[in-house]
Amino acid sequence: AQSVSQHNHHVILSEAASLELGCNYSYGGTVNLFWYVQYPGQHLQLLLKYFSGDPLVKGIKGFEAEFIKSKFSFNLRKPSVQWSDTAEYFCAVIGGSQGNLIFGKGTKLSVKP
Amino acid sequence: ETGVTQTPRHLVMGMTNKKSLKCEQHLGHNAMYWYKQSAKKPLELMFVYNFKEQTENNSVPSRFSPECPNSSHLFLHLHTLQPEDSALYLCASSQGRDWRDTGELFFGEGSRLTVL
């Protein structure tokens, strides 16, 4: 069965610090990978996605993620976080042509001003 | 505003009550989903509907009963729930059931359910 692992439950950073959130998945075939973000009191929304091509994907608000197939990873990065990045971040994967979107447990990011 | 509206936003019910959650999408999508979000657990896919037909029931107990009268509306009927069913229930829609269409789900803000 497919699964997604996010290793950090809660990350606390100061503004301007660099961010990297880990995501690993288990699926041996073709995958499509996503990061969703949920700001406090708001709905889940797509941050970025990887389907094919350049494994370094750029998303909204200065976020990027790198797909490393050999490591089954899709880590999310941002060079300099802002207080407004405080949110919960979910990694998700679709495996195969008709798979469902499977989510990780989420990582809560708190940015101190 | 996501184009996916869920009501009610908050619901408190006893174990013997019958209630329903409603979801409406204004995006012209063909697929709709129910997810359960519990603290410290991954989002759990519950049901998938494509063109009003249920295509996925992820081993959900029968006390949860979905209904999809058309591609724009999705209900989750609740009956004799347990306290462990307390969670945030998220509705989502997508343009197509085939992920190759867009691969993106559009979520509502959720219905926070508390079972006493």
Side-chain angles (χ1 to χ4, degrees):
Chain A
Q2 301 167 46
S3 67
V4 178
S5 297
Q6 291 182 246
H7 310 295
N8 306 104
H9 177 61
H10 192 183
V11 173
I12 303 173
L13 295 173
S14 297
E15 276 196 312
S18 65
L19 170 71
E20 181 161 5
L21 301 182
C23 173
N24 289 90
Y25 63 91
S26 65
Y27 185 76
T30 302
V31 291
N32 294 281
L33 299 155
F34 308 81
W35 277 96
Y36 278 79
V37 60
Q38 188 172 32
Y39 297 102
Q42 295 189 28
H43 59 273
L44 268 166
Q45 56 188 290
L46 183 67
L47 196 57
L48 49 79
K49 60 185 177 184
Y50 171 79
F51 274 25
S52 63
D54 188 345
L56 185 62
V57 179
K58 294 192 184 298
I60 60 173
K61 303 185 180 183
F63 285 91
E64 65 178 31
E66 184 175 15
F67 170 48
I68 303 179
K69 189 175 181 179
S70 61
K71 295 185 178 180
F72 297 90
S73 70
F74 190 56
N75 292 354
L76 181 71
R77 299 193 295 248
K78 185 171 183 178
S80 176
V81 295
Q82 299 173 311
W83 177 78
S84 58
D85 294 324
T86 295
E88 193 158 12
Y89 293 81
F90 295 88
C91 183
V93 61
I94 295 177
S97 63
Q98 291 291 328
N100 291 312
L101 189 62
I102 306 298
F103 285 85
K105 291 184 181 182
T107 297
K108 187 172 291 187
L109 172 65
S110 298
V111 181
K112 298 182 293 184
Chain B
E1 179 57 50
T2 68
V4 180
T5 304
Q6 290 187 243
T7 54
R9 294 292 308 278
H10 299 273
L11 178 63
V12 179
M13 59 186 290
M15 289 190 284
T16 58
N17 291 159
K18 285 185 181 181
K19 297 286 184 183
S20 296
L21 306 180
K22 179 183 176 183
C23 176
E24 183 174 2
Q25 58 97 357
H26 312 276
L27 300 168
H29 289 166
N30 298 316
M32 296 187 77
Y33 310 75
W34 280 115
Y35 278 87
K36 177 182 178 183
Q37 187 177 20
S38 305
K40 300 184 180 180
K41 293 177 69 176
L43 269 75
E44 301 171 53
L45 178 65
M46 300 175 73
F47 301 104
V48 182
Y49 277 81
N50 190 36
F51 290 100
K52 304 189 298 178
E53 299 297 320
Q54 187 180 119
T55 60
E56 188 94 20
N57 176 338
N58 202 23
S59 302
V60 180
S62 60
R63 58 186 183 268
F64 294 92
S65 174
E67 179 189 0
C68 188
N70 54 62
S71 293
S72 299
H73 293 84
L74 184 65
F75 294 89
L76 188 63
H77 302 301
L78 315 169
H79 178 47
T80 59
L81 295 191
Q82 304 298 312
E84 58 266 29
D85 296 322
S86 298
L88 183 68
Y89 289 85
L90 295 172
C91 175
S93 70
S94 68
Q95 187 172 354
R97 181 62 185 92
D98 185 344
W99 60 262
R100 286 169 291 186
D101 289 349
T102 66
E104 179 175 356
L105 293 185
F106 291 78
F107 285 87
E109 295 183 337
S111 292
R112 173 73 62 186
L113 173 66
T114 303
V115 182
L116 301 176

